[in-house]
Amino acid sequence: MLIVMRAHATDEEIQRVCDAIKAMNLTPHAIPGAERTAIGITGNRGEIDVGVLEDLPGVVEAIPVSKPYKLVSREIKPENSIISVGQTTIGGKSLAVVAGPCAVESYDQAMTIAERVKKSGATLFRGGAYKPRTSPYTFQGHGVEGLKILAKVREKFDLPIVTEAIDEESLAAVDEYADMIQIGARNMQNFSLLKRAGRAKKPVLLKRGMSATLDEFLMAAEYIMSEGNYRVVLCERGVRTFADHTRNTLDLSVVPAVQRLSHLPILVDPSHGTGRRDKIRPLSRAAVAAGADGLLIEVHHQPDHALSDGAQSIYPEEFDRLMLEIRQIASVVDRVVN
Amino acid sequence: MLIVMRAHATDEEIQRVCDAIKAMNLTPHAIPGAERTAIGITGNRGEIDVGVLEDLPGVVEAIPVSKPYKLVSREIKPENSIISVGQTTIGGKSLAVVAGPCAVESYDQAMTIAERVKKSGATLFRGGAYKPRTSPYTFQGHGVEGLKILAKVREKFDLPIVTEAIDEESLAAVDEYADMIQIGARNMQNFSLLKRAGRAKKPVLLKRGMSATLDEFLMAAEYIMSEGNYRVVLCERGVRTFADHTRNTLDLSVVPAVQRLSHLPILVDPSHGTGRRDKIRPLSRAAVAAGADGLLIEVHHQPDHALSDGAQSIYPEEFDRLMLEIRQIASVVDRVVN
Amino acid sequence: MLIVMRAHATDEEIQRVCDAIKAMNLTPHAIPGAERTAIGITGNRGEIDVGVLEDLPGVVEAIPVSKPYKLVSREIKPENSIISVGQTTIGGKSLAVVAGPCAVESYDQAMTIAERVKKSGATLFRGGAYKPRTSPYTFQGHGVEGLKILAKVREKFDLPIVTEAIDEESLAAVDEYADMIQIGARNMQNFSLLKRAGRAKKPVLLKRGMSATLDEFLMAAEYIMSEGNYRVVLCERGVRTFADHTRNTLDLSVVPAVQRLSHLPILVDPSHGTGRRDKIRPLSRAAVAAGADGLLIEVHHQPDHALSDGAQSIYPEEFDRLMLEIRQIASVVDRVVN
Amino acid sequence: MLIVMRAHATDEEIQRVCDAIKAMNLTPHAIPGAERTAIGITGNRGEIDVGVLEDLPGVVEAIPVSKPYKLVSREIKPENSIISVGQTTIGGKSLAVVAGPCAVESYDQAMTIAERVKKSGATLFRGGAYKPRTSPYTFQGHGVEGLKILAKVREKFDLPIVTEAIDEESLAAVDEYADMIQIGARNMQNFSLLKRAGRAKKPVLLKRGMSATLDEFLMAAEYIMSEGNYRVVLCERGVRTFADHTRNTLDLSVVPAVQRLSHLPILVDPSHGTGRRDKIRPLSRAAVAAGADGLLIEVHHQPDHALSDGAQSIYPEEFDRLMLEIRQIASVVDRVVN
């Protein structure tokens, strides 16, 4: 934390701030400048709230300096983490391609789509059994029945399963049936659920909240890791802005930003990130070119009849085409596609 | 939903869209214009996703028209709802003033602050026993011990208690000990928790999510009401924007906007909404002047030693002054202060 | 500027950053902490770009510290500025109420509205002669003819005139005919126009840009003042966010934020700030309660026939009612209304 | 425009809205639904403001339907526009790569950088002679002297010149000396300047404003075209959001969104879009992969000594590497690099 004093703050004012810092068991470091003095603070181990110093006479501003995360940080672990999920991995040289429908609708639907995406090169299968929906009156997912269908997909097509958990109960079920537990954007700061995921056996796919800063995103991962589960994969899925030509604004710059600060892998979800079918392929290519560790793509063979999010699902034929495209782009960023 | 066709779309294209609408068991209404045709859709009872129509040839855009909420809507219940909380009410002529510390830190702290705010005219007491914190390494609240202290505050000062629940377990405890269950901004779309709150015995204070649109905010209330708990009070607490002079941007225009669409009361929380002590009093006055049904204010007698959010708590003396000010403003908007 | 080093940065890395700072003719101040070192920089008189230091090995982040504005700052001039506009003032104990139509449509329209708002207590008259419109195909204002009508309004009703300039040519005309030159939100960073306004004879009303931070807003005022025109009044008119229930999101917290940092007066424009007639009165009351130095309100006697922005104009009757309301609220914040 | 009535609006209310629409010389089309009636409006040739209808009894909402742009629209001109700039083109199969320093600092600096970027394959040269700076106290560009240097760069290296105009005067000079006139983000809604650019001889590079919606962006282009200059190229350069890990948030989804609605080419500027050197290469690759018609890249051989924006300029070596990368990616999207 750095305390910036007004130009011409008096010595008494500066002294008073230093005394207040010491009273918090921290150490002040006054830096006299040409126009004004700034006071650095060291010794802050946790997240002590020094914002109160802003009210002292002569203070202009309190600027936070240290980052509060530890386990997610590249400072702690300089090399990239490679996360095992079932028999595959996320974060290494191979791009992860997680594909499947928004929701598991039926055994036939899941099998049909799984067969197609497997053939095209998907490395994991996705499909919602528990759906967080804005309206209580819309389809909420098939629950455990959906999970059982997903388990059969894994068995038949040898595809590890990623599916969302929305509360303690569903998390326990997902931890049992699936290979990776997804925490959705709306639950990114559901700290009880994060802690519970931190005690799960399976790795966690953590989606960025709709208005989460990079720090908050990394702190959410820190919550999971602080409970002992170090297998966390991040996922950018668009943030909320004024722009109205897509459902969310996909923030691809967060990919290199995460990679600078953290050792965790990061995927990109252009289906939710744009919410429009005709934007998915261009933004998927872009995500790979930006250096993402993989993609999450909604694929449906009959999007017009999908029970949810049909408008942001691509057809299997378009997914094939996308796989061809990212295969070529991958080599530019020193990656390979299955 | 309204489907906008390109200028000079062919009759075949228009017909094809109409056919697709009928295939969804909905009714198309073509509206030929000077330049282009638009096609209205009726018969949509739930939230059927017609976004897929955007992909048909000749379609420019699909524009959602109907609002999906029902129970929260003023169309269902034209008169204002007045919600009983303990022996007081929220939503009537009297302004609700919910005051207290960010977190319950100790018996003495809670009692000291409660005595002060009661004397100044607060009508409910707030204080966190379960704290959703960005970092796993900071103070997370005293849990049930905190709730027991709050129960003693009620007993001694005759102040109904509002406190946050962050998961199923804490919700059950809050439902037992407190008078009103707060659902925080980070959990506004934790639909499992909303449903659980909908089955609670106590009324619910629902805070707006950091990037929630008005529709999403009302739909979150709809979740609670759809489970049978009609005693819901909304609360604006600032949204996330690019502006960096306050922690969040307090959106007071949501007060008249909610009042136009819904019969539910709405409070304003300028403590979280600004995050800065010197902005709380001006924005509290503004909230009352804008027509809010009440305020949530963090008050602490020793903010420099608060375990959380000290920088956004005001001193009891400033709270006294605020009460005097809003008492005068209340009369302008046909309200009274206790 | 403060340079934050990685935890465990080597002495060589720290030294290299210090050397780079010295090479820029600035002075480094290393602050060793428990986990990491931070390096303060002093001697930066202008706005030297030290962001390049972020690329040096061992550097985590470069955090800007000093504020670049001078003339607008309360550090330079601690007491509030009171700006003379015609025979009235803005920034003193009396609230400024600037009222009138969005655009000057005709002599009769301007006179009709001016008579009404004068009677209700408006202290200045507004009306656009040059309209910045999103579409080139919509009404762009009557230009000099409009200015001449405005001059007659002043003559007849003794109301100083505020009207917008959109380029050098219109600024010269406004400077001649009106009493105050408005720079609109879209031109807040049209630096050539700001400099030109800085050389004008009349005071300037500077509206906040749609996505301007507080610093950028104050720097735009600094541009005007740096050319010698110290008579600047700021105006909040809503910022662009994801929220869609109003046209913009009115950010009332900027009022106390400006007042903390600057000596310049600040008005609030709830007409543009909300874009919806039924939100104008609540937000106008709120602005006064928050401590604003006055209001800008669009009033039209026939909003259904207005050539622009009819939906955000209030009727004269509603303006009367608003004046009664703010008269009472003004006394709470130690102000008076004409 | 579509008017949505309340559920159970009375026949009188519906009739009254229809009458009001007719009074505006427009045609109402009532669409009775299961729950509520919606009323379509046709006959609106300009941008008539029907927002006033929202105030009529029984009305819930007025939803805009038609897009106001014409000349920029793909409905008017289905095939892509290819814009000639000097002896090169933008918008065809070849990617445009506009490279050069933020500002022209000296003859030697410009020549040194131009030689390097020409050799690496840049197709146009950029460099600011007129710099819009947030602070009036920082380097504002060398003006006409800078333009003369740029003209020499063209002569020597056969590179067409793109440079920014910030007002009428500089626009005339840029129109004389350069090959393409850049209108910066801060001037995207400086409508006087847009109209002036519409009367210029040279093509225009129009950057997206920091908080411009897609519609506003296209309408700004419409302003230029409506004056007769059809040679307009768009440029995404990041928008303002809450995210703080980059200076702006680069919105790559706008590339396919523009391409869907308009025939105009669109470039991407990752230098301003991210503001951080280590993000430029990843986002440049992403922009090409997303289908952009080219890139704007700041290159400087001595960024630590740049007079502006050093932190967002890449070294010539990194530019070489970037050219190699995009050459490979271009083929995936059916493009070529010089």
Side-chain angles (χ1 to χ4, degrees), chain C:
Chain C
M1 187 67 70
L2 190 80
I3 304 299
V4 183
M5 303 296 296
R6 286 180 198 282
H8 319 304
T10 63
D11 288 352
E12 285 72 35
E13 287 171 344
I14 294 170
Q15 189 56 46
R16 188 163 160 193
V17 173
C18 290
D19 290 347
I21 292 168
K22 285 179 198 158
M24 291 167 161
N25 286 321
L26 303 173
T27 310
H29 300 262
I31 316 170
E35 287 193 4
R36 72 182 73 233
T37 293
I39 303 171
I41 303 179
T42 57
N44 191 346
R45 272 152 207 296
E47 191 198 55
I48 294 181
D49 186 354
V50 298
V52 295
L53 298 169
E54 280 196 335
D55 265 17
L56 292 180
V59 172
V60 173
E61 213 179 351
I63 300 174
V65 170
S66 326
K67 298 301 185 194
Y69 37 82
K70 301 184 196 307
L71 299 171
V72 302
S73 172
R74 207 174 263 287
E75 294 186 1
I76 295 282
K77 177 169 182 297
E79 70 280 7
N80 291 340
S81 285
I82 299 179
I83 310 295
S84 301
V85 184
Q87 78 282 24
T88 189
T89 58
I90 301 181
K93 193 171 168 111
S94 274
L95 282 185
V97 180
V98 188
C102 178
V104 176
E105 297 168 15
S106 69
Y107 177 84
D108 286 350
Q109 175 243 24
M111 287 292 164
T112 304
I113 298 172
E115 182 172 15
R116 287 297 315 258
V117 299
K118 169 75 180 186
K119 214 172 63 184
S120 315
T123 58
L124 298 105
F125 190 72
R126 57 149 292 149
Y130 302 92
K131 301 299 305 170
R133 301 298 298 275
T134 307
S135 164
Y137 308 122
T138 49
F139 176 59
Q140 312 264 323
H142 286 313
V144 174
E145 287 315 302
L147 293 179
K148 288 180 181 166
I149 293 174
L150 288 169
K152 286 177 189 153
V153 165
R154 175 184 41 220
E155 207 175 302
K156 178 142 187 196
F157 298 106
D158 206 31
L159 279 170
I161 299 300
V162 185
T163 193
E164 182 165 355
I166 56 172
D167 51 23
E168 299 240 346
E169 191 185 324
S170 57
L171 196 144
V174 170
D175 199 18
E176 185 185 338
Y177 285 98
D179 301 284
M180 187 172 212
I181 303 159
Q182 180 177 314
I183 303 289
R186 290 174 181 79
N187 282 313
M188 194 204 81
Q189 291 197 317
N190 179 343
F191 300 121
S192 298
L193 192 63
L194 296 177
K195 285 186 198 167
R196 177 65 188 78
R199 296 188 298 268
K201 304 183 302 271
K202 302 289 170 60
V204 178
L205 180 67
L206 176 67
K207 296 189 116 183
R208 182 179 178 189
M210 279 185 216
S211 55
T213 62
L214 176 53
D215 279 1
E216 290 169 344
F217 191 16
L218 293 177
M219 284 310 290
E222 185 86 17
Y223 255 99
I224 299 170
M225 296 177 82
S226 72
E227 295 285 327
N229 189 345
Y230 299 118
R231 292 192 293 159
V232 178
V233 174
L234 304 171
C235 182
E236 160 67 22
R237 45 76 73 207
V239 291
R240 185 147 277 179
T241 72
F242 67 88
D244 54 4
H245 58 275
T246 41
R247 201 202 277 193
N248 296 289
T249 298
L250 194 69
D251 175 16
L252 289 180
S253 71
V254 88
V255 171
V258 160
Q259 289 167 344
R260 182 183 173 114
L261 293 176
S262 176
H263 53 87
L264 297 175
I266 177 161
L267 307 183
V268 172
D269 173 353
S271 300
H272 286 89
T274 68
R276 306 241 173 177
R277 190 184 299 156
D278 67 333
K279 309 288 182 290
I280 295 174
R281 208 148 51 81
L283 275 297
S284 294
R285 294 189 308 249
V288 172
D293 294 288
L295 298 171
L296 235 82
I297 308 274
E298 291 193 2
V299 179
H300 201 291
H301 61 306
Q302 292 176 314
D304 310 14
H305 296 86
L307 292 182
S308 64
D309 280 351
Q312 69 187 36
S313 298
I314 58 174
Y315 289 91
E317 296 71 34
E318 200 169 5
F319 181 67
D320 291 349
R321 206 171 148 196
L322 172 59
M323 289 301 291
L324 289 176
E325 292 174 335
I326 62 170
R327 211 175 291 275
Q328 297 172 69
I329 296 173
S331 70
V332 181
V333 287
D334 200 25
R335 301 274 193 164
V336 295
V337 169
N338 224 10

Side-chain angles (χ1 to χ4, degrees), chain A residues 78-156:
Chain A
E79 70 280 7
N80 290 341
S81 286
I82 300 180
I83 310 295
S84 302
V85 184
Q87 78 282 23
T88 188
T89 58
I90 301 180
K93 193 170 167 111
S94 274
L95 282 185
V97 181
V98 188
C102 177
V104 176
E105 297 169 14
S106 69
Y107 176 84
D108 286 351
Q109 174 243 24
M111 288 292 163
T112 303
I113 298 172
E115 183 172 13
R116 288 296 316 257
V117 299
K118 169 75 181 185
K119 214 172 62 185
S120 315
T123 60
L124 298 104
F125 189 72
R126 57 148 293 147
Y130 302 91
K131 301 299 307 169
R133 301 298 299 275
T134 306
S135 164
Y137 308 123
T138 49
F139 175 61
Q140 313 264 322
H142 286 313
V144 174
E145 288 315 303
L147 293 179
K148 287 180 181 168
I149 293 173
L150 288 169
K152 286 176 189 153
V153 165
R154 174 183 43 218
E155 210 175 299
K156 180 144 186 193

